[in-house]
Amino acid sequence: MNAQQENRLEVALEKAIQGDQTGFAEIVEEHQGMVFSIAYHFLRNSSLAEELAQEVFLHLYQNLPSIQTPAHLKYWLRRVTSHRCIDQSRRQKFRQEVALEEVAEPAVASSSPDLMLFERLQKTVASLPEKQRMIVILRYQEELGPAEIAELLKMPVNTVKSTLNRSLAELRKRLARSFGEIKYAIF
């Protein structure tokens, strides 16, 4: 985040804490993509991800005075979103169901080198247990380091590293089993 953006968010945060709706709207606008992205990649359902994002921002609104800086805000949003995703998954024992209308039409030129592998990888990640799935998403989707993930999920760094290693080994095993003799260098 550059200094200008940091200053803009600091001002918006101060306004929001004082009750200014435009300040809060600016905060939501700045961070809604990140919150939705974490929720969507974890839940794999856009309507659930939207609902969860709304809950997170409502919770933020109720707890604005406890937020100290824009960096603290980003950390707080990631942590609350991560925990809410895990809670949602546990509540509903969420299993992926996608309506036909939500499935994207295949494009002529794919941004992914191997669309079949990418879709299989997404499904395989979605089949991991909640904490493993969240660690993988935070590491590779949000590009957070093990120390940042440990801080967000309130667990030791070595636990994050070992869980990540076990998750990657499990993903390799499941993908190798599903693709048979075809070997891909994914991780």
Side-chain angles (χ1 to χ4, degrees):
M1 185 179 318
N2 64 35
Q4 184 181 14
Q5 187 179 17
E6 178 88 19
N7 289 338
R8 186 176 52 78
L9 284 174
E10 224 168 275
V11 170
L13 183 58
E14 287 173 19
K15 285 181 179 178
I17 290 171
Q18 294 171 358
D20 184 348
Q21 297 299 317
T22 59
F24 186 73
E26 193 171 333
I27 289 171
V28 171
E29 186 177 322
E30 179 69 28
H31 294 93
Q32 66 187 354
M34 175 192 69
V35 171
F36 178 80
S37 177
I38 293 170
Y40 178 76
H41 284 92
F42 186 85
L43 299 170
R44 298 187 42 81
N45 180 307
S46 61
S47 61
L48 278 177
E50 285 176 15
E51 282 180 40
L52 192 135
Q54 288 176 355
E55 289 175 18
V56 168
F57 284 110
L58 175 61
H59 190 62
L60 171 65
Y61 186 77
Q62 295 166 341
N63 291 282
L64 270 172
S66 68
I67 306 298
Q68 298 147 6
T69 65
H72 179 236
L73 171 66
K74 192 170 190 173
Y75 164 82
W76 189 94
L77 286 170
R78 281 181 172 152
R79 190 186 54 161
V80 171
T81 304
S82 299
H83 288 289
R84 294 269 172 132
C85 285
I86 291 169
D87 290 345
Q88 175 74 22
S89 180
R90 287 179 180 161
R91 261 195 317 271
Q92 295 187 347
K93 291 296 179 194
F94 181 80
R95 298 293 174 244
Q96 179 189 6
E97 291 181 28
V98 179
L100 188 55
E101 297 82 33
E102 290 186 30
V103 177
E105 289 289 325
V108 176
S110 173
S111 61
S112 161
D114 187 339
L115 188 58
M116 185 173 121
L117 178 63
F118 179 73
E119 287 175 2
R120 185 69 198 147
L121 179 60
Q122 282 187 318
K123 287 179 182 175
T124 307
V125 168
S127 71
L128 290 173
E130 291 93 4
K131 287 226 176 181
Q132 288 181 329
R133 186 173 0 144
M134 184 54 71
I135 289 171
V136 168
I137 289 169
L138 290 173
R139 177 68 184 109
Y140 295 104
Q141 171 64 33
E142 292 298 310
E143 298 177 353
L144 298 179
E148 294 170 302
I149 295 170
E151 189 178 337
L152 277 175
L153 299 179
K154 303 289 187 219
M155 56 180 29
V157 175
N158 287 337
T159 302
V160 170
K161 289 178 181 178
S162 64
T163 302
L164 186 58
N165 284 334
R166 276 194 314 276
S167 301
L168 295 178
E170 181 65 24
L171 289 172
R172 280 187 205 100
K173 184 174 85 177
R174 290 181 186 184
L175 288 171
R177 186 172 48 232
S178 67
F179 284 113
E181 295 298 315
I182 301 171
K183 299 290 181 189
Y184 286 97
I186 298 171
F187 306 106

mmCIF file with all atom_site columns, all heavy atoms in Angstrom, residues 81-102:
data_model
loop_
_atom_site.group_PDB
_atom_site.id
_atom_site.type_symbol
_atom_site.label_atom_id
_atom_site.label_alt_id
_atom_site.label_comp_id
_atom_site.label_asym_id
_atom_site.label_entity_id
_atom_site.label_seq_id
_atom_site.pdbx_PDB_ins_code
_atom_site.Cartn_x
_atom_site.Cartn_y
_atom_site.Cartn_z
_atom_site.occupancy
_atom_site.B_iso_or_equiv
_atom_site.pdbx_formal_charge
_atom_site.auth_seq_id
_atom_site.auth_comp_id
_atom_site.auth_asym_id
_atom_site.auth_atom_id
_atom_site.pdbx_PDB_model_num
ATOM 1   N N   . THR A 1 81  ? -12.832 -12.666 8.680   1.00 0.00 ? 81  THR A N   1
ATOM 2   C CA  . THR A 1 81  ? -13.322 -13.404 7.508   1.00 0.00 ? 81  THR A CA  1
ATOM 3   C C   . THR A 1 81  ? -12.907 -14.865 7.579   1.00 0.00 ? 81  THR A C   1
ATOM 4   O O   . THR A 1 81  ? -13.725 -15.767 7.335   1.00 0.00 ? 81  THR A O   1
ATOM 5   C CB  . THR A 1 81  ? -12.808 -12.760 6.204   1.00 0.00 ? 81  THR A CB  1
ATOM 6   O OG1 . THR A 1 81  ? -13.201 -11.390 6.172   1.00 0.00 ? 81  THR A OG1 1
ATOM 7   C CG2 . THR A 1 81  ? -13.355 -13.482 4.983   1.00 0.00 ? 81  THR A CG2 1
ATOM 8   N N   . SER A 1 82  ? -11.658 -15.122 7.920   1.00 0.00 ? 82  SER A N   1
ATOM 9   C CA  . SER A 1 82  ? -11.164 -16.502 8.028   1.00 0.00 ? 82  SER A CA  1
ATOM 10  C C   . SER A 1 82  ? -11.961 -17.295 9.046   1.00 0.00 ? 82  SER A C   1
ATOM 11  O O   . SER A 1 82  ? -12.405 -18.414 8.781   1.00 0.00 ? 82  SER A O   1
ATOM 12  C CB  . SER A 1 82  ? -9.686  -16.509 8.421   1.00 0.00 ? 82  SER A CB  1
ATOM 13  O OG  . SER A 1 82  ? -8.908  -15.865 7.460   1.00 0.00 ? 82  SER A OG  1
ATOM 14  N N   . HIS A 1 83  ? -12.161 -16.716 10.203  1.00 0.00 ? 83  HIS A N   1
ATOM 15  C CA  . HIS A 1 83  ? -12.897 -17.422 11.260  1.00 0.00 ? 83  HIS A CA  1
ATOM 16  C C   . HIS A 1 83  ? -14.369 -17.616 10.894  1.00 0.00 ? 83  HIS A C   1
ATOM 17  O O   . HIS A 1 83  ? -14.941 -18.675 11.162  1.00 0.00 ? 83  HIS A O   1
ATOM 18  C CB  . HIS A 1 83  ? -12.758 -16.688 12.589  1.00 0.00 ? 83  HIS A CB  1
ATOM 19  C CG  . HIS A 1 83  ? -11.398 -16.824 13.183  1.00 0.00 ? 83  HIS A CG  1
ATOM 20  N ND1 . HIS A 1 83  ? -10.919 -17.995 13.715  1.00 0.00 ? 83  HIS A ND1 1
ATOM 21  C CD2 . HIS A 1 83  ? -10.385 -15.936 13.297  1.00 0.00 ? 83  HIS A CD2 1
ATOM 22  C CE1 . HIS A 1 83  ? -9.684  -17.825 14.149  1.00 0.00 ? 83  HIS A CE1 1
ATOM 23  N NE2 . HIS A 1 83  ? -9.332  -16.581 13.895  1.00 0.00 ? 83  HIS A NE2 1
ATOM 24  N N   . ARG A 1 84  ? -14.963 -16.621 10.279  1.00 0.00 ? 84  ARG A N   1
ATOM 25  C CA  . ARG A 1 84  ? -16.374 -16.756 9.867   1.00 0.00 ? 84  ARG A CA  1
ATOM 26  C C   . ARG A 1 84  ? -16.534 -17.836 8.794   1.00 0.00 ? 84  ARG A C   1
ATOM 27  O O   . ARG A 1 84  ? -17.531 -18.556 8.783   1.00 0.00 ? 84  ARG A O   1
ATOM 28  C CB  . ARG A 1 84  ? -16.915 -15.423 9.338   1.00 0.00 ? 84  ARG A CB  1
ATOM 29  C CG  . ARG A 1 84  ? -17.014 -14.338 10.367  1.00 0.00 ? 84  ARG A CG  1
ATOM 30  C CD  . ARG A 1 84  ? -18.375 -14.345 11.020  1.00 0.00 ? 84  ARG A CD  1
ATOM 31  N NE  . ARG A 1 84  ? -18.400 -13.413 12.134  1.00 0.00 ? 84  ARG A NE  1
ATOM 32  C CZ  . ARG A 1 84  ? -19.347 -12.523 12.325  1.00 0.00 ? 84  ARG A CZ  1
ATOM 33  N NH1 . ARG A 1 84  ? -20.349 -12.443 11.482  1.00 0.00 ? 84  ARG A NH1 1
ATOM 34  N NH2 . ARG A 1 84  ? -19.305 -11.734 13.367  1.00 0.00 ? 84  ARG A NH2 1
ATOM 35  N N   . CYS A 1 85  ? -15.564 -17.938 7.883   1.00 0.00 ? 85  CYS A N   1
ATOM 36  C CA  . CYS A 1 85  ? -15.620 -18.984 6.853   1.00 0.00 ? 85  CYS A CA  1
ATOM 37  C C   . CYS A 1 85  ? -15.567 -20.371 7.494   1.00 0.00 ? 85  CYS A C   1
ATOM 38  O O   . CYS A 1 85  ? -16.342 -21.267 7.132   1.00 0.00 ? 85  CYS A O   1
ATOM 39  C CB  . CYS A 1 85  ? -14.453 -18.837 5.876   1.00 0.00 ? 85  CYS A CB  1
ATOM 40  S SG  . CYS A 1 85  ? -14.625 -17.496 4.705   1.00 0.00 ? 85  CYS A SG  1
ATOM 41  N N   . ILE A 1 86  ? -14.661 -20.548 8.414   1.00 0.00 ? 86  ILE A N   1
ATOM 42  C CA  . ILE A 1 86  ? -14.537 -21.840 9.095   1.00 0.00 ? 86  ILE A CA  1
ATOM 43  C C   . ILE A 1 86  ? -15.812 -22.144 9.870   1.00 0.00 ? 86  ILE A C   1
ATOM 44  O O   . ILE A 1 86  ? -16.336 -23.269 9.812   1.00 0.00 ? 86  ILE A O   1
ATOM 45  C CB  . ILE A 1 86  ? -13.288 -21.852 10.000  1.00 0.00 ? 86  ILE A CB  1
ATOM 46  C CG1 . ILE A 1 86  ? -12.021 -21.845 9.121   1.00 0.00 ? 86  ILE A CG1 1
ATOM 47  C CG2 . ILE A 1 86  ? -13.288 -23.071 10.922  1.00 0.00 ? 86  ILE A CG2 1
ATOM 48  C CD1 . ILE A 1 86  ? -10.733 -21.594 9.872   1.00 0.00 ? 86  ILE A CD1 1
ATOM 49  N N   . ASP A 1 87  ? -16.354 -21.148 10.569  1.00 0.00 ? 87  ASP A N   1
ATOM 50  C CA  . ASP A 1 87  ? -17.605 -21.351 11.304  1.00 0.00 ? 87  ASP A CA  1
ATOM 51  C C   . ASP A 1 87  ? -18.749 -21.722 10.364  1.00 0.00 ? 87  ASP A C   1
ATOM 52  O O   . ASP A 1 87  ? -19.531 -22.626 10.659  1.00 0.00 ? 87  ASP A O   1
ATOM 53  C CB  . ASP A 1 87  ? -17.990 -20.084 12.079  1.00 0.00 ? 87  ASP A CB  1
ATOM 54  C CG  . ASP A 1 87  ? -17.061 -19.798 13.242  1.00 0.00 ? 87  ASP A CG  1
ATOM 55  O OD1 . ASP A 1 87  ? -16.289 -20.705 13.642  1.00 0.00 ? 87  ASP A OD1 1
ATOM 56  O OD2 . ASP A 1 87  ? -17.091 -18.648 13.747  1.00 0.00 ? 87  ASP A OD2 1
ATOM 57  N N   . GLN A 1 88  ? -18.851 -21.031 9.246   1.00 0.00 ? 88  GLN A N   1
ATOM 58  C CA  . GLN A 1 88  ? -19.898 -21.310 8.262   1.00 0.00 ? 88  GLN A CA  1
ATOM 59  C C   . GLN A 1 88  ? -19.783 -22.745 7.759   1.00 0.00 ? 88  GLN A C   1
ATOM 60  O O   . GLN A 1 88  ? -20.772 -23.460 7.649   1.00 0.00 ? 88  GLN A O   1
ATOM 61  C CB  . GLN A 1 88  ? -19.793 -20.332 7.083   1.00 0.00 ? 88  GLN A CB  1
ATOM 62  C CG  . GLN A 1 88  ? -20.746 -20.597 5.938   1.00 0.00 ? 88  GLN A CG  1
ATOM 63  C CD  . GLN A 1 88  ? -22.168 -20.215 6.259   1.00 0.00 ? 88  GLN A CD  1
ATOM 64  O OE1 . GLN A 1 88  ? -22.414 -19.397 7.138   1.00 0.00 ? 88  GLN A OE1 1
ATOM 65  N NE2 . GLN A 1 88  ? -23.109 -20.810 5.566   1.00 0.00 ? 88  GLN A NE2 1
ATOM 66  N N   . SER A 1 89  ? -18.586 -23.147 7.476   1.00 0.00 ? 89  SER A N   1
ATOM 67  C CA  . SER A 1 89  ? -18.346 -24.494 6.972   1.00 0.00 ? 89  SER A CA  1
ATOM 68  C C   . SER A 1 89  ? -18.739 -25.538 8.012   1.00 0.00 ? 89  SER A C   1
ATOM 69  O O   . SER A 1 89  ? -19.352 -26.551 7.691   1.00 0.00 ? 89  SER A O   1
ATOM 70  C CB  . SER A 1 89  ? -16.869 -24.647 6.607   1.00 0.00 ? 89  SER A CB  1
ATOM 71  O OG  . SER A 1 89  ? -16.623 -25.928 6.121   1.00 0.00 ? 89  SER A OG  1
ATOM 72  N N   . ARG A 1 90  ? -18.404 -25.297 9.256   1.00 0.00 ? 90  ARG A N   1
ATOM 73  C CA  . ARG A 1 90  ? -18.758 -26.235 10.329  1.00 0.00 ? 90  ARG A CA  1
ATOM 74  C C   . ARG A 1 90  ? -20.258 -26.277 10.554  1.00 0.00 ? 90  ARG A C   1
ATOM 75  O O   . ARG A 1 90  ? -20.817 -27.347 10.818  1.00 0.00 ? 90  ARG A O   1
ATOM 76  C CB  . ARG A 1 90  ? -18.056 -25.846 11.620  1.00 0.00 ? 90  ARG A CB  1
ATOM 77  C CG  . ARG A 1 90  ? -16.589 -26.152 11.593  1.00 0.00 ? 90  ARG A CG  1
ATOM 78  C CD  . ARG A 1 90  ? -15.926 -25.727 12.869  1.00 0.00 ? 90  ARG A CD  1
ATOM 79  N NE  . ARG A 1 90  ? -14.503 -26.033 12.810  1.00 0.00 ? 90  ARG A NE  1
ATOM 80  C CZ  . ARG A 1 90  ? -13.601 -25.483 13.584  1.00 0.00 ? 90  ARG A CZ  1
ATOM 81  N NH1 . ARG A 1 90  ? -13.960 -24.613 14.514  1.00 0.00 ? 90  ARG A NH1 1
ATOM 82  N NH2 . ARG A 1 90  ? -12.336 -25.810 13.463  1.00 0.00 ? 90  ARG A NH2 1
ATOM 83  N N   . ARG A 1 91  ? -20.905 -25.131 10.493  1.00 0.00 ? 91  ARG A N   1
ATOM 84  C CA  . ARG A 1 91  ? -22.354 -25.071 10.727  1.00 0.00 ? 91  ARG A CA  1
ATOM 85  C C   . ARG A 1 91  ? -23.117 -25.882 9.702   1.00 0.00 ? 91  ARG A C   1
ATOM 86  O O   . ARG A 1 91  ? -24.055 -26.586 10.021  1.00 0.00 ? 91  ARG A O   1
ATOM 87  C CB  . ARG A 1 91  ? -22.845 -23.628 10.669  1.00 0.00 ? 91  ARG A CB  1
ATOM 88  C CG  . ARG A 1 91  ? -23.029 -22.969 11.998  1.00 0.00 ? 91  ARG A CG  1
ATOM 89  C CD  . ARG A 1 91  ? -23.848 -21.692 11.913  1.00 0.00 ? 91  ARG A CD  1
ATOM 90  N NE  . ARG A 1 91  ? -23.544 -20.801 10.821  1.00 0.00 ? 91  ARG A NE  1
ATOM 91  C CZ  . ARG A 1 91  ? -22.635 -19.830 10.861  1.00 0.00 ? 91  ARG A CZ  1
ATOM 92  N NH1 . ARG A 1 91  ? -21.919 -19.637 11.942  1.00 0.00 ? 91  ARG A NH1 1
ATOM 93  N NH2 . ARG A 1 91  ? -22.441 -19.043 9.833   1.00 0.00 ? 91  ARG A NH2 1
ATOM 94  N N   . GLN A 1 92  ? -22.731 -25.752 8.481   1.00 0.00 ? 92  GLN A N   1
ATOM 95  C CA  . GLN A 1 92  ? -23.503 -26.388 7.421   1.00 0.00 ? 92  GLN A CA  1
ATOM 96  C C   . GLN A 1 92  ? -22.846 -27.632 6.857   1.00 0.00 ? 92  GLN A C   1
ATOM 97  O O   . GLN A 1 92  ? -23.378 -28.234 5.936   1.00 0.00 ? 92  GLN A O   1
ATOM 98  C CB  . GLN A 1 92  ? -23.743 -25.397 6.292   1.00 0.00 ? 92  GLN A CB  1
ATOM 99  C CG  . GLN A 1 92  ? -24.588 -24.239 6.710   1.00 0.00 ? 92  GLN A CG  1
ATOM 100 C CD  . GLN A 1 92  ? -24.962 -23.352 5.548   1.00 0.00 ? 92  GLN A CD  1
ATOM 101 O OE1 . GLN A 1 92  ? -24.411 -23.444 4.463   1.00 0.00 ? 92  GLN A OE1 1
ATOM 102 N NE2 . GLN A 1 92  ? -25.925 -22.498 5.770   1.00 0.00 ? 92  GLN A NE2 1
ATOM 103 N N   . LYS A 1 93  ? -21.683 -27.989 7.409   1.00 0.00 ? 93  LYS A N   1
ATOM 104 C CA  . LYS A 1 93  ? -20.919 -29.096 6.811   1.00 0.00 ? 93  LYS A CA  1
ATOM 105 C C   . LYS A 1 93  ? -20.948 -28.916 5.310   1.00 0.00 ? 93  LYS A C   1
ATOM 106 O O   . LYS A 1 93  ? -21.364 -29.759 4.527   1.00 0.00 ? 93  LYS A O   1
ATOM 107 C CB  . LYS A 1 93  ? -21.505 -30.456 7.201   1.00 0.00 ? 93  LYS A CB  1
ATOM 108 C CG  . LYS A 1 93  ? -21.309 -30.792 8.648   1.00 0.00 ? 93  LYS A CG  1
ATOM 109 C CD  . LYS A 1 93  ? -19.856 -30.927 8.957   1.00 0.00 ? 93  LYS A CD  1
ATOM 110 C CE  . LYS A 1 93  ? -19.641 -31.250 10.411  1.00 0.00 ? 93  LYS A CE  1
ATOM 111 N NZ  . LYS A 1 93  ? -18.292 -31.085 10.840  1.00 0.00 ? 93  LYS A NZ  1
ATOM 112 N N   . PHE A 1 94  ? -20.506 -27.725 4.915   1.00 0.00 ? 94  PHE A N   1
ATOM 113 C CA  . PHE A 1 94  ? -20.594 -27.245 3.549   1.00 0.00 ? 94  PHE A CA  1
ATOM 114 C C   . PHE A 1 94  ? -19.931 -28.212 2.562   1.00 0.00 ? 94  PHE A C   1
ATOM 115 O O   . PHE A 1 94  ? -18.807 -28.611 2.742   1.00 0.00 ? 94  PHE A O   1
ATOM 116 C CB  . PHE A 1 94  ? -19.937 -25.868 3.450   1.00 0.00 ? 94  PHE A CB  1
ATOM 117 C CG  . PHE A 1 94  ? -19.997 -25.286 2.087   1.00 0.00 ? 94  PHE A CG  1
ATOM 118 C CD1 . PHE A 1 94  ? -21.139 -24.666 1.626   1.00 0.00 ? 94  PHE A CD1 1
ATOM 119 C CD2 . PHE A 1 94  ? -18.911 -25.365 1.240   1.00 0.00 ? 94  PHE A CD2 1
ATOM 120 C CE1 . PHE A 1 94  ? -21.196 -24.131 0.362   1.00 0.00 ? 94  PHE A CE1 1
ATOM 121 C CE2 . PHE A 1 94  ? -18.953 -24.831 -0.026  1.00 0.00 ? 94  PHE A CE2 1
ATOM 122 C CZ  . PHE A 1 94  ? -20.100 -24.208 -0.458  1.00 0.00 ? 94  PHE A CZ  1
ATOM 123 N N   . ARG A 1 95  ? -20.660 -28.548 1.558   1.00 0.00 ? 95  ARG A N   1
ATOM 124 C CA  . ARG A 1 95  ? -20.131 -29.314 0.435   1.00 0.00 ? 95  ARG A CA  1
ATOM 125 C C   . ARG A 1 95  ? -20.507 -28.548 -0.823  1.00 0.00 ? 95  ARG A C   1
ATOM 126 O O   . ARG A 1 95  ? -21.614 -28.019 -0.944  1.00 0.00 ? 95  ARG A O   1
ATOM 127 C CB  . ARG A 1 95  ? -20.717 -30.718 0.368   1.00 0.00 ? 95  ARG A CB  1
ATOM 128 C CG  . ARG A 1 95  ? -20.383 -31.544 1.576   1.00 0.00 ? 95  ARG A CG  1
ATOM 129 C CD  . ARG A 1 95  ? -18.880 -31.844 1.614   1.00 0.00 ? 95  ARG A CD  1
ATOM 130 N NE  . ARG A 1 95  ? -18.515 -32.509 2.832   1.00 0.00 ? 95  ARG A NE  1
ATOM 131 C CZ  . ARG A 1 95  ? -17.713 -32.017 3.752   1.00 0.00 ? 95  ARG A CZ  1
ATOM 132 N NH1 . ARG A 1 95  ? -17.182 -30.834 3.612   1.00 0.00 ? 95  ARG A NH1 1
ATOM 133 N NH2 . ARG A 1 95  ? -17.416 -32.697 4.819   1.00 0.00 ? 95  ARG A NH2 1
ATOM 134 N N   . GLN A 1 96  ? -19.604 -28.522 -1.742  1.00 0.00 ? 96  GLN A N   1
ATOM 135 C CA  . GLN A 1 96  ? -19.795 -27.685 -2.922  1.00 0.00 ? 96  GLN A CA  1
ATOM 136 C C   . GLN A 1 96  ? -21.001 -28.129 -3.740  1.00 0.00 ? 96  GLN A C   1
ATOM 137 O O   . GLN A 1 96  ? -21.123 -29.283 -4.108  1.00 0.00 ? 96  GLN A O   1
ATOM 138 C CB  . GLN A 1 96  ? -18.554 -27.735 -3.791  1.00 0.00 ? 96  GLN A CB  1
ATOM 139 C CG  . GLN A 1 96  ? -18.697 -26.909 -5.039  1.00 0.00 ? 96  GLN A CG  1
ATOM 140 C CD  . GLN A 1 96  ? -17.559 -27.121 -6.001  1.00 0.00 ? 96  GLN A CD  1
ATOM 141 O OE1 . GLN A 1 96  ? -16.714 -27.961 -5.781  1.00 0.00 ? 96  GLN A OE1 1
ATOM 142 N NE2 . GLN A 1 96  ? -17.553 -26.373 -7.054  1.00 0.00 ? 96  GLN A NE2 1
ATOM 143 N N   . GLU A 1 97  ? -21.882 -27.170 -3.985  1.00 0.00 ? 97  GLU A N   1
ATOM 144 C CA  . GLU A 1 97  ? -22.989 -27.352 -4.911  1.00 0.00 ? 97  GLU A CA  1
ATOM 145 C C   . GLU A 1 97  ? -23.016 -26.101 -5.772  1.00 0.00 ? 97  GLU A C   1
ATOM 146 O O   . GLU A 1 97  ? -23.107 -24.996 -5.249  1.00 0.00 ? 97  GLU A O   1
ATOM 147 C CB  . GLU A 1 97  ? -24.311 -27.494 -4.178  1.00 0.00 ? 97  GLU A CB  1
ATOM 148 C CG  . GLU A 1 97  ? -24.430 -28.788 -3.407  1.00 0.00 ? 97  GLU A CG  1
ATOM 149 C CD  . GLU A 1 97  ? -25.776 -28.914 -2.712  1.00 0.00 ? 97  GLU A CD  1
ATOM 150 O OE1 . GLU A 1 97  ? -26.763 -28.333 -3.212  1.00 0.00 ? 97  GLU A OE1 1
ATOM 151 O OE2 . GLU A 1 97  ? -25.820 -29.583 -1.693  1.00 0.00 ? 97  GLU A OE2 1
ATOM 152 N N   . VAL A 1 98  ? -22.937 -26.279 -7.068  1.00 0.00 ? 98  VAL A N   1
ATOM 153 C CA  . VAL A 1 98  ? -22.907 -25.133 -7.957  1.00 0.00 ? 98  VAL A CA  1
ATOM 154 C C   . VAL A 1 98  ? -24.090 -25.230 -8.909  1.00 0.00 ? 98  VAL A C   1
ATOM 155 O O   . VAL A 1 98  ? -24.287 -26.252 -9.564  1.00 0.00 ? 98  VAL A O   1
ATOM 156 C CB  . VAL A 1 98  ? -21.581 -25.102 -8.769  1.00 0.00 ? 98  VAL A CB  1
ATOM 157 C CG1 . VAL A 1 98  ? -21.569 -23.930 -9.718  1.00 0.00 ? 98  VAL A CG1 1
ATOM 158 C CG2 . VAL A 1 98  ? -20.395 -25.049 -7.828  1.00 0.00 ? 98  VAL A CG2 1
ATOM 159 N N   . ALA A 1 99  ? -24.863 -24.157 -8.957  1.00 0.00 ? 99  ALA A N   1
ATOM 160 C CA  . ALA A 1 99  ? -25.977 -24.112 -9.883  1.00 0.00 ? 99  ALA A CA  1
ATOM 161 C C   . ALA A 1 99  ? -25.430 -23.979 -11.301 1.00 0.00 ? 99  ALA A C   1
ATOM 162 O O   . ALA A 1 99  ? -24.387 -23.359 -11.518 1.00 0.00 ? 99  ALA A O   1
ATOM 163 C CB  . ALA A 1 99  ? -26.879 -22.930 -9.564  1.00 0.00 ? 99  ALA A CB  1
ATOM 164 N N   . LEU A 1 100 ? -26.130 -24.541 -12.237 1.00 0.00 ? 100 LEU A N   1
ATOM 165 C CA  . LEU A 1 100 ? -25.687 -24.511 -13.624 1.00 0.00 ? 100 LEU A CA  1
ATOM 166 C C   . LEU A 1 100 ? -25.506 -23.074 -14.109 1.00 0.00 ? 100 LEU A C   1
ATOM 167 O O   . LEU A 1 100 ? -24.584 -22.786 -14.870 1.00 0.00 ? 100 LEU A O   1
ATOM 168 C CB  . LEU A 1 100 ? -26.697 -25.238 -14.512 1.00 0.00 ? 100 LEU A CB  1
ATOM 169 C CG  . LEU A 1 100 ? -26.308 -25.470 -15.961 1.00 0.00 ? 100 LEU A CG  1
ATOM 170 C CD1 . LEU A 1 100 ? -24.977 -26.215 -16.053 1.00 0.00 ? 100 LEU A CD1 1
ATOM 171 C CD2 . LEU A 1 100 ? -27.377 -26.234 -16.690 1.00 0.00 ? 100 LEU A CD2 1
ATOM 172 N N   . GLU A 1 101 ? -26.339 -22.153 -13.606 1.00 0.00 ? 101 GLU A N   1
ATOM 173 C CA  . GLU A 1 101 ? -26.247 -20.756 -14.021 1.00 0.00 ? 101 GLU A CA  1
ATOM 174 C C   . GLU A 1 101 ? -24.940 -20.106 -13.552 1.00 0.00 ? 101 GLU A C   1
ATOM 175 O O   . GLU A 1 101 ? -24.485 -19.133 -14.119 1.00 0.00 ? 101 GLU A O   1
ATOM 176 C CB  . GLU A 1 101 ? -27.418 -19.940 -13.464 1.00 0.00 ? 101 GLU A CB  1
ATOM 177 C CG  . GLU A 1 101 ? -28.772 -20.374 -13.968 1.00 0.00 ? 101 GLU A CG  1
ATOM 178 C CD  . GLU A 1 101 ? -29.326 -21.582 -13.213 1.00 0.00 ? 101 GLU A CD  1
ATOM 179 O OE1 . GLU A 1 101 ? -29.071 -21.726 -12.002 1.00 0.00 ? 101 GLU A OE1 1
ATOM 180 O OE2 . GLU A 1 101 ? -29.992 -22.395 -13.852 1.00 0.00 ? 101 GLU A OE2 1
ATOM 181 N N   . GLU A 1 102 ? -24.338 -20.627 -12.464 1.00 0.00 ? 102 GLU A N   1
ATOM 182 C CA  . GLU A 1 102 ? -23.119 -20.045 -11.920 1.00 0.00 ? 102 GLU A CA  1
ATOM 183 C C   . GLU A 1 102 ? -21.851 -20.521 -12.617 1.00 0.00 ? 102 GLU A C   1
ATOM 184 O O   . GLU A 1 102 ? -20.798 -19.945 -12.443 1.00 0.00 ? 102 GLU A O   1
ATOM 185 C CB  . GLU A 1 102 ? -23.000 -20.349 -10.426 1.00 0.00 ? 102 GLU A CB  1
ATOM 186 C CG  . GLU A 1 102 ? -24.009 -19.614 -9.590  1.00 0.00 ? 102 GLU A CG  1
ATOM 187 C CD  . GLU A 1 102 ? -23.778 -19.827 -8.112  1.00 0.00 ? 102 GLU A CD  1
ATOM 188 O OE1 . GLU A 1 102 ? -22.629 -20.032 -7.702  1.00 0.00 ? 102 GLU A OE1 1
ATOM 189 O OE2 . GLU A 1 102 ? -24.770 -19.779 -7.368  1.00 0.00 ? 102 GLU A OE2 1
#
